[in-house]
Structures are given as C-alpha cells and as structure tokens.
Amino acid sequence: MAQAAERAHLRLRAAILKGEYRSGERLGEVELAESLHVSRTPVREALHRLAAEGLVEIEPNRGARVAHWTREDLHEIYELRALLEGSAARRAAERADGEVLAALSGLCDAMDSAARPGRQRDLDRVAVLNAEFHGLIMATSGSPRLAAMLGQVVHVPLVARTYHRYDEAALARSMGHHRELAAAMRSHDGPWAESVMRSHVHAARCVLSAALEEGTPPDEQEVGP
C-alpha cells in the first residue's frame, strides 16, 4: 500500500507541475484511482501529501482541488526566488571551476541561438535551456538547503510558457542577464553574480505582472526565467 501511495503521489505531483490539471480543477478520488490503476486509499494519501506541499487544497465535504494561486502568491514567489537564487549565484561564483564556466557559456550560446528571430526560433527550447542554466548555478552553489528551499518555492505549475510572453526587448534583456551571470562567474565575483541574478528574477516577475494585468490567468504562467 505504501508503494502504491508513493507512486500515486509522484505521478499526480508530476501531472500537476506539468499543468495537466489547471488551477482550481477538481481531483476526484474515483477518477484518479481509475486513471492511476490503484485503489482510492493510496490516492487519498497522495492527495493529503500534495496538500501538505501546497499543490492541492482539500475542503471538507468538497474534496480536493488543484491549489489556486493569486497575484499576491506569485509576487511572493518571485521575491523568495530573488533571495534564494541570488544567494545561490553568489556562492556559485565563488566555486565555479572551468568545467562549470564552459557549460554556462555553452548554454548561453544555445539559448541565444534558440531565441534568434526567424522561423527557427524555439522558445520552448529556450525554456528548457534556461532551466538547465539555473539548475547548474544552483548545483554549483553547493547548498542542498538552498536547493530544497527553492524547490518548495518554484514547484508550482505557473508559467509553463513564460518566454512566449516576452517581447523582443524583454527577451534580449533575459539573454543579456545570462551572459552577465556567466561573466560574473568567470570573475568569481559573488556580489556581482547575486545582483544580476536578483535583477534577472525581478525582470521576469515584471513580465508576469504585465500578463496578469492584461487578464491572463495565473495558471497559464510558470515560474521560469
């Protein structure tokens, strides 16, 4: 039973994070049990675990739903990201070796190529490479605590297609931030790296805020660049 609950938890969590379930969508135990090929008991346990993680809301007599995120929630998420990723960038700059620096530079080249205007532009590819870039910085920071804290902040299924919201100026600014972060890493300048990372995250928040002002629902966003 414990293994079934663990599998149900991991599969439901992944589905929510991928945006397969929208914010506020009902999560019926019977339907989930059928789709996951398990009984209702492991599903119920999985839902309670997801509720503890903040991904699901459970109300008496109404069942479980995917958590709803407000503008205030999103702004708080970005504030925390700026603090945590800024700290990670500072630590990473002090630790980055030649292999890490080469990888960061290569990711910058690949992002620039994927973001180049024209028919070959691939913003989904940019998003994947961006995640690798940020993940490498976090890994280089050498702080499992920071990584765990950041995982709790950014695991919400918001902004799956953030780069599709960027105009040309915002996209160029984001690519420039990546280049400057790589330069700060090469200089092993922690305060510089931290400052650029915080600016980078706050700039992404501004793009999201603008989208929300235009009436785009938060569940169509993702915490990305």
Side-chain angles (χ1 to χ4, degrees):
M1 185 65 70
Q3 291 183 345
E6 177 66 14
R7 289 195 301 270
H9 169 254
L10 293 176
R11 290 178 62 182
L12 283 174
R13 187 177 189 276
I16 291 172
L17 297 182
K18 290 177 182 178
E20 294 177 15
Y21 296 103
R22 295 174 64 85
S23 173
E25 183 173 347
R26 180 179 176 275
L27 299 170
E29 290 183 8
V30 174
E31 295 83 357
L32 290 175
E34 292 177 353
S35 66
L36 297 173
H37 305 291
V38 297
S39 67
R40 292 179 63 180
T41 299
V43 168
R44 188 177 301 115
E45 183 176 334
L47 290 172
H48 280 284
R49 290 179 62 180
L50 291 168
E53 295 175 10
L55 291 174
V56 167
E57 297 171 346
I58 300 177
E59 300 180 9
N61 303 317
R62 299 187 64 181
R65 295 181 182 276
V66 178
H68 175 70
W69 301 91
T70 66
R71 284 179 173 82
E72 290 72 22
D73 292 328
L74 299 179
H75 285 195
E76 182 181 29
I77 287 167
Y78 274 91
E79 287 290 341
L80 291 171
R81 275 197 62 199
L83 291 171
L84 295 171
E85 292 205 64
S87 180
R90 174 177 51 76
R91 291 173 57 91
E94 298 165 355
R95 293 165 170 76
D97 58 19
E99 183 178 353
V100 168
L101 296 175
L104 290 173
S105 179
L107 286 168
C108 285
D109 290 341
M111 280 188 281
D112 284 346
S113 178
R116 190 170 297 129
R119 295 182 62 184
Q120 300 303 313
R121 171 175 279 181
D122 186 349
L123 296 180
D124 291 330
R125 176 65 176 160
V126 173
V128 171
L129 294 167
N130 172 77
E132 291 183 22
F133 185 91
H134 284 259
L136 179 55
I137 289 176
M138 179 57 70
T140 305
S141 76
S143 175
R145 285 191 187 88
L146 272 177
M149 293 170 68
L150 184 65
Q152 290 299 310
V153 171
V154 303
H155 68 187
V156 293
L158 316 165
V159 198
R161 297 169 68 81
T162 301
Y163 277 113
H164 292 266
R165 307 290 177 181
Y166 277 47
D167 59 21
E168 292 300 325
L171 187 59
R173 181 171 57 246
S174 182
M175 298 302 102
H177 283 156
H178 290 140
R179 288 291 184 187
E180 191 173 358
L181 277 164
M185 297 288 164
R186 284 195 301 272
S187 298
H188 300 290
D189 190 323
W192 180 15
E194 181 173 15
S195 176
V196 176
M197 181 62 84
R198 289 192 178 194
S199 295
H200 183 56
V201 173
H202 283 302
R205 183 184 65 178
C206 287
V207 172
L208 175 58
S209 295
L212 293 177
E213 290 300 322
E214 293 172 1
T216 305
D219 55 286
E220 293 183 6
Q221 309 294 323
E222 171 190 285
V223 181

